Amino acid sequence: MKRLTFLCLMAFCLLTASAQRGWQVRKDVPLDSIRLSDPTILADKASQMYYMTGTGGMMWRSADLRLWEGPFRVTEFEADSWMGPRPMIWAAELHRTGDEWYYYFATFTNQAVKIDTVRGNVIERRASQVLRADNPMGPYRAFGDATYLPATRPTLDGTYWKDLDGKPYLVFCGEWLQNWNGTIEKIELKPDLSGTVGEPKVLFRASDSPWSREKNDQGEITWNKVTDGPWLFRTATGRLGMLWTSWVFDVYTQGVAYSESGTLDGPWTQEPLPITPPGYGHSMLFQRFDGQWMMSVHYHKKDARGRTVRTPHLFEVDLSGDRLLVKTE
């Protein structure tokens, strides 16, 4: 089932890339009319606008979170980089760290380069990397080290976190297609985010999940191999949490873990139940301009032809206590 899921995602990204070649910018588009995986929203105080991106790498913008304008192409690549001139883009995120730059964390895949074959799966060159621009609409370009993560490993869904030691980190997934037990890991970033320092460290593995489910090769029900979409947050009490996504059989499902030490080093304790309703996953958090915390997430649903489509959705969340609460009504 997971191989089929991977192939479907690959097909989705190819369709997205094809659509980008002939896209048309539209105005006043309702959020639930946009087709987008892994939506991430930056609330930019400087422009008083919301900017949304995700898989496919295109940008949408809105003044009120209801009606959106887009999509806009916002990335530029050098043909001689490991990513190639037109890489596939997954799970793009926008981050502002307090300086003059806007940072674009994303997963890039160069389909022309094969790095491994595991259990019959040919693994392409895929990794998380950071681009930057001086305004939220880009263009975002590579600016630092040629690579941030080992070239021999497929890594994905990189996100930004500044820990209690004052250092910035890239938190990312080690893909299950190679390790067969997906990981969530950290690696230190240089102070200007232009590269990484040292070696990655595993924070936890897919097998630590108490709520994910799949059938293994023997037909036994066990934990799911996928780790997907980490996002870090702190509650009002200072408790460090991490949203992440996997599957319950064929249903995309999101859980949450909390760090016992209050730092990335954990240890991480997994909540026993999913944090959002079935079918929602790969979320992030942001604050509206009125101060309300929001969760941006995508929802899997079937269209009139029975095809799975992914639609952005927003939940209000409560971070006022020592755990994240999602308002689902």
Side-chain angles (χ1 to χ4, degrees), residues 133-278:
D134 61 5
N135 73 90
M137 291 297 291
Y140 292 90
R141 303 184 180 98
F143 69 101
D145 291 351
T147 60
Y148 281 55
L149 293 168
T152 56
R153 298 182 57 201
T155 56
L156 67 158
D157 294 355
T159 191
Y160 169 82
W161 185 251
K162 191 172 186 178
D163 213 3
L164 293 181
D165 60 7
K167 298 177 181 178
Y169 290 88
L170 177 67
V171 177
F172 64 94
C173 297
E175 192 165 37
W176 69 272
L177 284 169
Q178 186 183 58
N179 60 33
W180 226 245
N181 184 2
T183 57
I184 293 183
E185 308 179 30
K186 73 164 188 175
I187 190 169
E188 184 182 341
L189 286 162
K190 294 180 178 179
D192 63 356
L193 312 192
S194 64
T196 55
V197 179
E199 298 296 324
K201 176 184 177 181
V202 174
L203 305 182
F204 60 83
R205 303 177 187 276
S207 55
D208 294 329
S209 168
W211 49 264
S212 70
R213 293 289 183 272
E214 70 174 12
K215 285 187 178 181
N216 63 19
D217 294 340
Q218 290 74 45
E220 302 165 332
I221 295 176
T222 183
W223 45 268
N224 196 285
K225 295 184 286 292
V226 173
T227 50
D228 191 57
W231 183 270
L232 284 301
F233 65 91
R234 286 198 188 275
T235 67
T237 62
R239 193 180 189 192
L240 178 62
M242 184 193 302
L243 295 159
W244 69 286
T245 304
S246 189
W247 296 79
V248 177
F249 301 111
D250 62 346
V251 179
Y252 204 49
T253 305
Q254 181 172 238
V256 65
Y258 290 98
S259 169
E260 297 302 316
S261 67
T263 73
L264 287 177
D265 288 328
W268 289 87
T269 299
Q270 306 290 331
E271 291 287 277
L273 298 175
I275 193 72
T276 43

Side-chain angles (χ1 to χ4, degrees), residues 56-78:
M58 303 294 271
M59 186 79 77
W60 294 79
R61 62 188 178 190
S62 171
D64 59 9
L65 296 175
R66 295 186 305 105
L67 298 177
W68 294 81
E69 180 185 15
F72 301 93
R73 188 189 301 280
V74 295
T75 53
E76 293 182 359
F77 300 95
E78 298 294 332

